[in-house]
Amino acid sequence: MARRMRTALLAVGLVLSTGGVALAAPVATLKQFRVPTPNSQPRAITNGSDGNRWFTEGTDFTGAPAKIARITPAGAITEFAPTADDGCNFCIITDIAQGPGGVLYLTSNDPALMRFDTATTSFLAPIQMPNSSALGGTVAVSATDAWITDFNNDVVWRLRLADGQFTSFPVTDPGDVAVDAAGNAWFTQPGDVNAPGTSAIGRIDAATGAVTRTTTTVAPRSVAVAADGQVWFTARFTPQAVGRLNPSTGAVTLFPLTDVGPAGIAASLDGGVWFTQETKGNAARITNDGVITEGKAVKGSGPFEITVAPDGSPWYTLMSANKVATLQLR
């Protein structure tokens, strides 16, 4: 089901009328912080249990060294580089997620799950993946498990944190992964929109291990579970959209977009979500009714992944601009 959207712009005192509805935009300030390492292409970002945001650096496109970095609420950035002993043998770090006990979990193109202690600011011993050809795509962590997509082997891995045991779930072309309040894993399968049935949102039941899929008419990329339990996702390539899956009914609602490049997505505290618009150069918020509120656009900045701080402010990486940005709501 497709829904018509209403769009407002985040600006001081601005009120727009669209579709006969007057929308008062919240007050927000765009702040950008340059990453110390040149051309680092900051990519994944997460909330840390220490009150800071943590993000990844380095891709195969720039040759920048693999690092993770901490950015404080004031914008101070400190970088940390893993070694081969930490599980990174000239690796490319693909994702980062906060786990219990102050430990960050990192995936890369090496067959090891890296770990970093935010309290001691040091890398812990890595956890070797059970398959030497495993390529970690994205990671999501609950109180008991880490879930890892492995597109090289067409599986989603479950790591039980208590005993380090892995379980694999066959999933063709897994993309992103997120966990809900019950610990269940939700994943995307971009597939091919021209091949019906290949594009889907999937769920792995944490209690039974049952895998279920809900097919979509778009190619879902990133996924997030909102505070109300709704599962949201972006579709980066044509047809572009932001979508919502109702876990209770299986109904999928699509909010079509045009030439904005929806990429990362993250839940906000009010039940809605924020997402990045890679082509347009900004971040935007969408409500359950499909009302979109956009932040200031920075052309050519390449917004990518996004997280929402406890105060409700979205933080996101700007891959092309080599910066991290935030919209500070008031």
Side-chain angles (χ1 to χ4, degrees):
M1 177 173 60
R3 295 285 296 274
R4 183 181 178 183
M5 298 170 298
R6 298 186 295 277
T7 305
L9 177 69
L10 278 160
V12 178
L14 178 66
V15 178
L16 298 180
S17 177
T18 58
V21 178
L23 299 174
V27 177
T29 301
L30 174 65
K31 292 191 174 182
Q32 303 174 68
F33 306 96
R34 185 170 297 279
V35 179
T37 298
N39 300 316
S40 70
Q41 288 203 333
R43 183 171 179 156
I45 188 168
T46 191
N47 287 320
S49 58
D50 58 353
N52 301 303
R53 255 44 62 199
W54 290 80
F55 61 95
T56 67
E57 300 178 33
T59 72
D60 54 346
F61 302 111
T62 65
K67 297 179 182 178
I68 64 171
R70 177 186 64 209
I71 182 167
T72 68
I77 296 176
T78 306
E79 299 173 306
F80 305 88
T83 66
D85 290 339
D86 301 321
C88 180
N89 187 18
F90 300 101
C91 74
I92 298 169
I93 302 174
T94 54
D95 201 11
I96 184 170
Q98 181 67 66
V103 177
L104 294 166
Y105 289 81
L106 317 169
T107 50
S108 75
N109 60 340
D110 281 351
L113 184 64
M114 287 184 283
R115 300 182 298 163
F116 185 89
D117 189 322
T118 59
T120 63
T121 60
S122 60
F123 285 91
L124 304 176
I127 300 173
Q128 296 300 317
M129 299 293 291
N131 189 320
S132 61
S133 65
L135 289 177
T138 61
V139 58
V141 188
S142 69
T144 58
D145 302 288
W147 299 86
I148 305 139
T149 60
D150 176 5
F151 55 85
N152 202 41
N153 292 290
D154 284 333
V155 300
V156 173
W157 296 98
R158 178 186 192 175
L159 169 65
R160 207 160 52 188
L161 301 181
D163 58 13
Q165 294 298 307
F166 280 93
T167 305
S168 65
F169 299 88
V171 173
T172 302
D173 190 27
D176 195 17
V177 65
V179 290
D180 63 22
N184 304 306
W186 293 86
F187 58 88
T188 59
Q189 288 180 286
D192 181 351
V193 293
N194 296 313
T198 61
S199 301
I201 301 295
R203 176 182 182 270
I204 303 175
D205 189 296
T208 67
V211 179
T212 54
R213 300 171 69 251
T214 301
T215 58
T216 63
T217 56
V218 296
R221 175 175 176 173
S222 297
V223 64
V225 182
D228 60 1
Q230 300 288 301
V231 180
W232 289 80
F233 57 93
T234 58
R236 170 67 178 82
F237 300 105
T238 304
Q240 295 184 5
V242 171
R244 184 183 70 236
L245 168 65
N246 185 327
S248 299
T249 64
V252 174
T253 303
L254 295 178
F255 302 96
L257 298 168
T258 303
D259 297 330
V260 298
I265 195 165
S268 62
L269 301 179
D270 60 4
V273 298
W274 285 85
F275 62 99
T276 56
Q277 300 190 123
E278 190 174 357
T279 304
K280 195 166 187 177
N282 64 358
R285 178 183 178 274
I286 185 169
T287 68
N288 278 329
D289 295 328
V291 177
I292 291 181
T293 309
E294 296 186 321
K296 179 181 178 181
V298 180
K299 187 176 181 180
S301 59
F304 202 68
E305 294 298 339
I306 189 168
T307 191
V308 182
D311 67 358
S313 299
W315 289 74
Y316 53 102
T317 54
L318 301 175
M319 286 186 68
S320 300
N322 199 44
K323 296 178 179 178
V324 174
T326 181
L327 286 170
Q328 297 186 334
L329 307 182
R330 299 177 186 173

